[in-house]
Amino acid sequence: MSEALITVLMVHEVGLHARPSVKLTKLAKGFSSQIEMAVAAEGPWIDAKSIVKVMATKAPKDTVLHFRARGDDAQAAVQALADLVASDFEEAKRDAARG
Amino acid sequence: MPPAVELKGSPASPGVASGPLVRVGRVLELARVAGAPGQERQALKAAIRQAIAGLNALIARIGEDGAEIVAFQIAMLEDNELSRPAWEAIDTGTPADVAWKAAVDVQIADYRASEDDYFRARAADLRDLRDRVVVHLTGDGSEVVPAGAVLVGEDVTPSRFLETDWTSGGGIVLTGGSSSSHVAILARARGVPMVVAVGEADFDGHCAAIVDGASGRVVLSPDDETVARFAVIARDADERARREADYLDRPAVTADGTPVAVLINVAGPDDLAAIDAATCDGIGLMRTEFLFRDGAALPDEETQYQVYCQLLDWAGSKPVTIRTLDAGGDKPISGLTPVGETNTFLGVRGIRLSLLREDVFRPQLRALARAAAGGNLKVMWPMVTSPGEIDRAAALFEEELAALTAAGIAFARPRLGMMVEVPAPAIAPDLYGAAEFFSIGSNDLIQYVAAAARDNGGVAALAGEVIPVIERLVAGLAAYGRERGIEVSLCGELAGETAHIPALLRSGLASLSVAPAALARVKAAVAGVNLGA
């Protein structure tokens, strides 16, 4: 059982709208650890696997997202989420596939 | 019981129905009778699962941009955070639908209150998924609809009609609608009494209704005397049907001994359950678009192959004519038919759409070729406008046959014919010589010749006024068929209208394909025509 913590800047143009939220929660749900997200170091911390909660943050572009996880795959979980946000939710991949 | 109210509309499907009145189009306002919390919990779980399954099927067929929002709805449905208040309410005895609506309404209110346009717009998606689950909770109306009920409302969708169990009777009354709409065609095919265009009416408080499809009369909350009166009408109709039934088992022959082939129009194997193949001369039209029904996933080659085989097995050695996908116009299919056309009747539909969507067309062609190995199959293209379309469709077919050969899969080459429904081939059939047979689609032909839409009550009467013109076109087509030695038949609604059969037969037509429910009366009508006179 381990804990992990990470922060990442979200540069996504429209912030946490439906598409990025779906991707984020889908990714989080793939890990067994309990995972939480906050838009400030002191919280409030919300369940990162819940799209209801994630969308409710309405986090805009340039928000620093905080992820903390507790469980066997905690480190992998926060790293994966940070990578997703840092890659701008894989928008580049989608645009490349389209073009 | 409130005093009886008489309504008058247009006849859409003959027959008398008497039963409890059920409002449709208002499923979301119907309440669910709650069971114990355990049952309600199960019901909500199942309804959410069904809603997710429906959305997953939708994703499989739509473009990327639409898929984003559907994925959002699915994620919401999978989130326990959304349904948590519902489970809690159910535990205190609240019915599942009330509990669910309240839980989602909390989220909807939150999104609506946002200052951000985008979040306010998501409220509509939440309403959508809320209602999708509610429909599953109220059983799509089928649990709430008692047997033999008269459905009453503004309109009834074809899929609603197909989902309803009509075996214990029942009828349809519409305030709007048209007697040439698809639902009306389905109602006539199944013998379900239907009246349309009764106009604005107040159905509140009425629990029972009588529908007389032949006269267009409807009585709400009928008194005993009225019920008796309509029972007589129904009895007379039954009498007539019994007399006509005498003709059912014999081949159709005119009074002067000319044989006429009478086949049936079907939408799928379900339509065949109640029919004895010996009472008809084959299937003159299978409408494949009902396989591609809106809301379900597009059927793959194997699924289609199985369905086509069922029809061929049923027909034995008798011919089965299958029409390739005729989507578009008033038969939209999401993810397939174009969106935003200003005039769908003159747009990308029928063979035009198939030639543009080879990804959908080729599997259908393969399924047909494979099925042809097992029976007497004919294939026809819908909405043919130019000879080039026949050539292109035939070329695609040949390509798929070559592929099947290379793969060592058994097939046969069916005869490839065409529907005559666009006026062009009706006027100059000799330019369409590549077609191996013609089937006149009178429904659309009448619309195009009269330049009047069949779903527009304002011009519906014009259809009747161009019948003499249609008869002239039919005569021309029948003559061409005789000259060239190819088969010409008619599969539109006109063939089932006994008043027009004498003229059609005199035009030289000797093959009609009709709704199964019309078989007996059509054969009886044929017997009454003397072509020598």
Side-chain angles (χ1 to χ4, degrees), chain A residues 14 16-22 25-26 29 47 49-53 55-56 58-59 94 98, chain B residues 64-65 68-69 71-73 75-79 81-82 84 107 110-111 114 116 118-119 122:
Chain A
V14 289
L16 273 183
H17 278 188
R19 184 166 47 225
S21 297
V22 171
T25 52
K26 239 190 176 145
K29 284 196 270 195
D47 180 3
K49 298 182 184 179
S50 162
I51 189 162
V52 171
K53 292 291 188 181
M55 288 278 289
K58 303 197 178 77
R94 181 186 79 128
R98 268 214 184 139
Chain B
E64 203 185 293
D65 293 321
E68 171 187 325
I69 289 308
F72 167 68
Q73 293 194 17
M76 280 280 170
L77 286 170
E78 290 174 344
D79 191 354
E81 197 47 48
L82 178 66
R84 192 171 38 79
Q107 291 296 325
D110 186 43
Y111 278 63
S114 171
D116 188 327
Y118 177 81
F119 284 92
R122 300 284 66 75

Side-chain angles (χ1 to χ4, degrees), chain B residues 154-215:
Chain B
E154 167 71 35
D155 198 3
V156 163
T157 61
S159 50
R160 180 68 198 270
F161 181 94
L162 291 167
E163 282 160 0
T164 305
D165 179 7
W166 299 105
T167 53
S168 318
I172 301 176
V173 175
L174 301 183
T175 56
S178 146
S179 64
S180 31
S181 67
H182 253 96
V183 173
I185 291 174
L186 288 170
R188 285 194 291 272
R190 298 271 187 106
V192 174
M194 177 171 169
V195 170
V196 298
V198 295
E200 281 305 307
D202 185 8
F203 298 108
D204 278 340
H206 293 284
C207 308
I210 290 183
V211 187
D212 179 13
S215 66

Side-chain angles (χ1 to χ4, degrees), chain B residues 261-273 275-288 307-323 376-380 415 419 437 439 487 489-491 511-516 519:
Chain B
V262 181
L263 302 87
I264 54 173
N265 300 334
V266 300
D270 289 347
D271 291 349
L272 300 174
I275 308 163
D276 178 359
T279 60
C280 69
D281 297 306
I283 295 175
L285 163 66
M286 180 203 161
R287 303 181 173 101
T288 58
V307 169
Y308 302 150
C309 284
Q310 279 184 61
L311 263 60
L312 288 166
D313 289 341
W314 176 88
S317 57
K318 296 182 180 179
V320 173
T321 302
I322 297 182
R323 181 179 70 190
N376 187 352
L377 177 66
K378 293 156 68 181
V379 172
M380 63 184 174
R415 264 175 293 160
M419 292 278 298
F437 62 88
S439 186
E487 190 185 278
S489 68
L490 192 148
C491 61
S511 176
L512 305 171
S513 193
V514 302
L519 265 176

